């Protein structure tokens, strides 16, 4: 596939989508898990945004690989690629948490009374705390990784190519 649009590498364009949709998926997932009003309003949108983020990551990576074959390889670009290679597992985690929380609150919560009785109050609370901690770790990891990838990519492209102060 040719990863070029109007003479620009598609990676440059796709990166912006990925930078928006991965944190948006993480935010919607956490809001849906922790805030019932947000959960009701977002509904199926949360796992759909997470799915879009999940689709964007490998497409953006493929476009990045295409671009790598057409630029001079530098240590900064290699560092960017190495960090970027760690994003997909985080986004898979965000998607799975988003889907699981949506399925739970859509279909499972109504039938959970028996499970709650068997687990008791303490068991139910521990399970809820574990779910929230897992969601926080996965969503936080995804957002932090996007930030690290963006920072390394910006350095690879821009560091040393502009003046710090304006000329008079």
């Amino acid at each position: 596939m040719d990863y070029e649009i109007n003479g620009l590498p598609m990676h440059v364009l796709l990166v912006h989508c990925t930078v928006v949709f991965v944190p948006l998926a993480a935010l919607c997932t956490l809001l849906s898990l922790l805030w019932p009003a947000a959960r009701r309003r977002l509904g199926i949108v949360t796992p759909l945004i997470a799915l879009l983020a999940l689709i964007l990551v490998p497409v953006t990576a493929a476009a990045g690989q295409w671009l790598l074959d057409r630029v001079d390889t530098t240590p900064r670009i290699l560092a960017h690629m190495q960090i970027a290679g760690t994003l997909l597992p985080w986004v898979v985690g965000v998607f799975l948490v988003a889907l699981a929380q949506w399925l739970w609150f859509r279909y499972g919560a109504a039938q959970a009374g028996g499970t709650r009785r068997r687990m008791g109050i303490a068991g139910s609370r521990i399970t809820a705390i574990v779910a929230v901690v897992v969601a926080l770790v996965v969503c936080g990891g995804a957002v932090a990784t996007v930030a690290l990838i963006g920072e390394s990519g910006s350095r690879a492209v821009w560091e040393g190519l502009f003046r710090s102060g304006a000329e008079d």
Side-chain angles (χ1 to χ4, degrees):
M1 180 173 177
D2 191 26
Y3 289 97
E4 189 176 338
I5 297 177
N6 291 333
L8 289 175
M10 195 183 299
H11 181 72
V12 175
L13 303 171
L14 288 170
V15 159
H16 291 85
C17 294
T18 304
V19 164
V20 168
F21 280 100
V22 170
L24 181 61
L27 177 64
C28 289
T29 299
L30 291 174
L31 285 175
S32 294
L33 185 63
L34 300 171
W35 190 13
R39 181 182 323 123
R40 285 188 297 276
R41 290 189 182 232
L42 290 169
I44 188 72
V45 172
T46 297
L48 290 177
I49 290 172
L51 178 61
L52 178 59
L54 180 59
I55 292 167
L56 277 169
V57 169
V59 173
T60 304
Q65 185 61 50
W66 179 90
L67 181 58
L68 180 67
D69 295 339
R70 287 154 181 81
V71 298
D72 294 332
T73 304
T74 66
R76 288 185 186 126
I77 290 174
L78 294 176
H80 172 67
M81 285 187 55
Q82 184 177 13
I83 298 168
T86 65
L87 182 59
L88 186 59
W90 288 112
V91 178
V92 167
V94 170
F95 172 70
L96 292 175
V97 169
L99 182 63
Q101 69 82 24
W102 179 76
L103 289 170
W104 172 255
F105 289 111
R106 178 80 167 108
Y107 299 107
Q111 295 136 1
T115 305
R116 285 190 191 115
R117 278 192 297 278
R118 283 192 299 276
M119 292 173 58
I121 293 171
S124 294
R125 287 187 180 159
I126 290 170
T127 302
I129 290 169
V130 168
V132 169
V133 168
V134 167
L136 286 169
V137 168
V138 169
C139 291
V143 171
T145 303
V146 165
L148 290 171
I149 294 166
E151 191 269 340
S152 70
S154 295
R155 286 196 183 281
V157 172
W158 291 104
E159 194 165 69
L161 294 179
F162 66 95
R163 289 183 304 278
S164 295
E167 289 186 20
D168 293 332

